[in-house]
C-alpha cells in the first residue's frame, strides 16, 4: 500500500505542476490515506478535491507536507518554496521549511524561515517562540531583528522577564544605557531574585556615572547572594575606582575566602592596602598574588612600589628587574629602579657591591648584554646615572670587547660628573642670589634626581613660599620635582578671576605629585561645590599624600588608566578649566581635540611644554640640548600649533611661552 502512496504522490506532483487532473489526483490520495488509516489527512485531501478552482498554494503546501513525512527533503523544500512563490505570507509553510532546514543542520536558512513565519503571523506563534527566535538571531549577530523578536514576545506576554533581560543586555552593548536601566528595573520588578539583573543594572549605572546608585545595587546583590563571586568583584572594582578603600578591603578579603586560589582578589587587596599606605600588608598580598599567577606582570609592579615605600632597596631592584623583563616599556619602573640603586649606592661601596652581586647572579644568561644595555640606556635617559653605570659595567663585564657598552659607560660617568658639578654651581648661585626662585626649583630637581629628597622638598617649599603660596608650609605638602613654581604668577594672572566661583569644574591630565592640583584647590577651586577630575596612567603615592593634606579630598576625583579612554566618554562643554600636563606626544593631538570638545565656552585650556627650551630652562642643564630634548619640544610645539589652526575661529590665546593658555570663545557651539 505504501508503494501505491508513493505513486499517488508522484501523480499528484505531476498534475499540480502541469495543472491537469488535479481533482482526480486529490481523490486518489484521499482514498489511499484512508486505506492506510490516516483518516484526518484523508478528509483534508477529499475536501481539496471538492474545490472547483482550488488554491494552488495550499495544494503545494500539502504536497510539501507529504514529502516531508517521507523524509524526501529536496522535494518537500521545492513544494514549500512554490507555495511561498504563490503566497509569500504563508506562515505555516515558512515554519515547516525552518524545521526541515534545522533537521538538515542548515541554521542560517532555518533562522531565515523561522523569522519569516513569526513576522508574517506574530499572533500565530507563542511568546516563547518569539523569544527563542530572538536568541537565535542574537547568536547570528542580527541584533535589530532580535530586538524586534523580543518586543513581539513582550507584546504577547508583557511580564515575560527573560525578554526584558535580553533587551537590557542588548541596550547596554549598544551603549543605550537609559533604555538598559529601564529594562533592568522591569526585570527586577518581575524577578526580584535575579542576580545578573542587579549586576547588569549596576554596570549600566556606572556608565552613566551614577556611582552611588550602582554601589547600592551591587550591595543588594551581595545581600541576596552572599556567595556570589561576580557580585563581590563588581562591587570591589567600583569601590576601588571611588577610592572607598576600607569597604574594598572587606570585599576582597571575602573574595579570598570564596576563591582562595584566585590571584585577582589578592592583587586588588594589595592595591587597596597600598593606597591606604599599609605597605607591609600590601607587600604580603602582592606576594600571594604572585604565588598564584607567577606570569602576571601587574603584581610585580605594585609590589615594587610597596617595597619602595618601605625603602627595601635591594628587593626593589630585583623586583623592578623582573617587571622590566616582562614589560620593558613600563617607564615608571625605571624611575623606581634608578632611585633604589641611588639609595643603595649611598652605602659604603654600595655601587661596587651591587655590581658584584649581579655578576654572581647574572640577570639573563642568554640575552645578558642586550638586557644590560637596554636598562642602562633607559636609566641614562632618565638621568639615573648610578643605575646606568651599574648596567653598563655589567654589560662590559659580560662582553669586554663591546664598544657600545664601553662608550656608554664613559658617557654615564661624564654625565654624573657634570650633574655633581651643576649641583655645586647651583648651590653657589643660590648663596649669592637667595631670592632667585628659579634657582630653588632647579636645585630641587637636581637633588631629586640624586635621591636627596628631604633637601629637595625643602628647596621646593622655599620656591613656592617665595611665590606667596603660604599653604605649602601650613599644610605640610611634600613636593620634590618642581616644574610648576615659575608658572604661579601666570596662573594667578589668568585664572585668578575664577576663584570662589560656584560649581567650577576642572580637569587635569598628568598629575604627578599633585603640585598644580593642590595650587588649584588652594587658590581657584575654593567654593564648596567646585570639583576637579584628575586623569593619569597611575598615581604617585605623594599625590594621595598631598591631596589628603589639602583637606579638599572630597573635591578630587581620580581616574587611573589611559587618559584617552576617559576623555572619549566626556560630554561636550563640561569643564571650565582643563590643564594638560601629560607629555605623551603620540596622542597629544587627539587628547587636545577631546579636551577642547569637553571645554565650556569661555573656559580655559592650559597646555604644558609648548615652547622650545622648556626643559633646559627648568633643569638648568644645557646638556639636555645634546640629548635631543629640544627636538622633542619642537615636536610638541608643532603638534599644538596644528591644533591651534583647527580651532583658530573659536580660540583666544591668553599666554604663550613655555606654556600656552587658550580661552574658548563664549559663542562657541558645544
Amino acid at each position: 500500500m505504501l508503494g501505491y502512496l508513493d505513486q499517488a504522490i508522484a501523480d499528484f506532483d505531476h498534475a499540480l505542476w502541469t495543472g491537469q487532473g488535479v481533482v482526480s489526483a486529490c481523490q486518489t490520495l484521499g482514498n489511499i490515506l484512508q486505506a492506510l488509516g490516516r483518516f484526518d489527512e484523508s478528509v483534508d485531501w477529499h475536501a481539496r478535491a471538492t474545490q472547483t478552482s482550488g488554491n494552488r498554494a495550499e495544494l503545494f503546501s500539502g504536497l510539501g507536507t507529504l514529502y516531508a513525512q517521507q523524509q524526501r527533503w529536496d522535494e518537500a523544500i521545492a513544494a514549500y518554496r512554490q507555495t511561498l512563490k504563490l503566497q509569500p505570507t504563508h506562515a505555516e509553510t515558512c515554519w515547516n521549511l525552518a524545521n526541515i532546514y534545522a533537521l538538515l543542520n542548515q541554521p542560517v536558512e532555518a533562522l531565515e524561515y523561522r523569522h519569516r513565519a513569526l513576522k508574517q503571523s506574530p499572533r500565530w506563534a507563542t511568546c516563547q517562540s518569539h523569544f527563542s527566535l530572538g536568541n537565535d538571531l542574537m547568536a547570528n549577530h542580527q541584533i535589530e531583528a532580535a530586538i524586534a523578536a523580543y518586543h513581539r514576545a513582550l507584546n504577547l506576554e508583557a511580564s515575560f522577564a527573560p525578554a526584558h533581560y535580553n533587551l537590557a543586555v542588548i541596550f547596554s552593548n549598544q551603549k543605550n544605557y537609559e533604555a538598559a536601566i529601564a529594562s533592568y528595573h522591569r526585570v527586577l520588578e518581575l524577578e526580584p531574585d535575579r542576580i545578573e539583573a542587579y549586576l547588569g543594572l549596576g554596570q549600566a549605572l556606572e556608565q552613566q556615572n551614577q556611582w552611588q546608585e550602582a554601589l547600592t545595587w551591587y550591595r543588594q546583590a551581595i545581600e541576596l547572594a552572599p556567595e556570589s563571586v561576580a557580585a563581590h568583584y563588581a562591587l570591589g572594582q567600583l569601590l576601588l575606582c571611588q577610592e572607598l578603600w576600607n569597604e574594598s578591603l572587606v570585599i576582597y578579603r571575602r573574595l579570598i575566602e570564596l576563591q582562595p586560589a584566585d590571584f585577582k582578589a589578592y592583587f586588588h587587596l594589595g592595591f587597596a592596602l597600598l593606597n591606604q599606605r599599609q605597605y607591609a600588608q600590601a607587600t604580603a598580598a602582592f606576594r600571594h598574588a604572585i604565588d598564584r599567577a607567577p606570569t602576571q606582570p601587574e603584581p610585580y609592579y605594585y609590589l615594587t612600589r610597596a617595597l619602595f615605600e618601605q625603602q627595601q632597596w635591594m628587593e626593589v631592584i630585583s623586583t623592578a628587574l623582573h617587571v622590566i623583563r616582562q614589560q620593558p616599556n613600563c617607564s615608571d619602573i625605571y624611575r623606581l629602579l634608578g632611585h633604589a640603586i641611588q639609595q643603595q649606592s649611598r652605602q659604603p661601596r654600595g655601587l661596587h657591591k651591587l655590581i658584584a652581586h649581579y655578576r654572581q647572579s647574572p640577570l639573563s644568561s642568554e640575552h645578558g648584554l642586550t638586557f644590560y644595555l637596554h636598562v642602562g640606556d633607559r636609566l641614562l635617559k632618565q638621568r639615573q646615572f648610578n643605575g646606568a653605570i651599574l648596567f653598563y659595567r655589567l654589560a662590559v663585564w659580560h662582553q669586554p670587547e663591546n664598544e657600545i657598552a664601553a662608550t656608554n659607560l664613559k658617557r654615564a660617568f661624564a654625565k654624573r660628573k657634570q650633574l655633581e658639578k651643576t649641583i655645586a654651581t647651583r648651590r653657589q648661585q643660590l648663596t649669592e642670589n637667595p631670592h632667585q626662585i628659579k634657582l630653588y626649583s632647579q636645585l630641587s630637581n637636581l637633588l631629586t634626581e640624586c635621591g636627596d629628597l628631604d633637601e629637595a622638598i625643602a628647596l621646593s617649599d622655599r620656591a613656592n613660599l617665595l611665590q606667596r603660596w603660604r599653604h605649602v608650609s601650613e599644610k605640610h605638602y611634600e613636593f620634590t620635582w618642581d616644574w610648576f613654581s615659575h608658572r604661579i604668577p601666570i596662573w594667578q594672572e589668568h585664572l585668578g578671576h575664577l576663584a570662589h566661583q560656584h560649581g567650577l569644574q576642572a580637569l587635569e591630565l598628568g598629575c604627578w605629585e599633585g603640585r598644580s592640583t593642590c595650587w588649584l584647590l588652594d587658590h581657584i577651586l575654593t567654593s564648596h561645590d567646585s570639583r576637579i577630575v584628575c586623569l593619569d596612567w597611575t598615581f604617585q603615592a605623594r599625590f594621595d599624600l598631598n591631596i589628603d593634606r589639602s583637606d579638599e579630598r572630597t573635591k578630587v576625583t581620580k581616574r587611573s588608566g589611559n587618559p584617552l579612554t576617559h576623555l572619549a566618554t566626556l560630554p561636550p562643554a563640561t569643564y571650565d578649566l582643563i590643564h594638560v600636563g601629560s607629555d605623551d606626544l603620540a596622542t597629544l593631538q587627539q587628547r587636545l581635540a577631546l579636551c577642547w570638545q569637553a571645554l565650556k565656552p569661555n573656559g580655559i585650556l592650559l597646555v604644558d611644554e609648548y615652547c622650545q627650551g622648556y626643559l633646559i630652562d627648568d633643569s638648568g642643564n644645557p646638556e639636555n640640548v645634546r640629548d635631543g630634548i629640544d627636538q622633542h619640544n619642537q615636536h610638541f610645539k608643532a603638534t599644538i600649533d596644528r591644533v591651534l589652526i583647527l580651532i583658530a575661529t573659536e580660540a583666544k590665546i591668553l599666554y604663550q611661552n613655555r606654556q600656552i593658555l587658550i580661552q574658548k570663545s563664549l559663542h562657541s557651539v558645544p
Side-chain angles (χ1 to χ4, degrees), residues 31 76 155 181 220 275 303 323 382 385 412 486 632:
N31 292 335
N155 287 337
I181 290 168
Q220 288 186 25
N275 282 278
L303 174 59
V323 175
Q382 293 198 8
F385 300 129
H486 66 279
H632 172 80

Side-chain angles (χ1 to χ4, degrees), residues 41-116:
E41 292 178 75
S42 173
V43 170
D44 288 340
W45 284 101
H46 280 298
R48 289 174 180 134
T50 63
Q51 296 173 356
T52 56
S53 59
N55 185 330
R56 295 187 72 237
E58 288 293 340
L59 293 174
F60 272 109
S61 178
L63 177 62
T65 300
L66 288 171
Y67 278 132
Q69 289 168 348
Q70 294 184 294
Q71 299 185 12
R72 294 168 64 177
W73 306 123
D74 289 341
E75 292 96 330
I77 290 171
Y80 283 140
R81 284 184 170 173
Q82 184 62 22
T83 301
L84 294 176
K85 193 175 291 186
L86 296 168
Q87 189 176 335
T89 60
H90 201 285
E92 186 174 358
T93 295
C94 291
W95 193 264
N96 290 339
L97 272 170
N99 290 336
I100 292 174
Y101 281 121
L103 288 169
L104 295 176
N105 196 26
Q106 298 182 40
V108 175
E109 291 81 359
L111 179 59
E112 176 189 348
Y113 283 104
R114 203 171 305 284
H115 188 198
R116 282 182 62 179

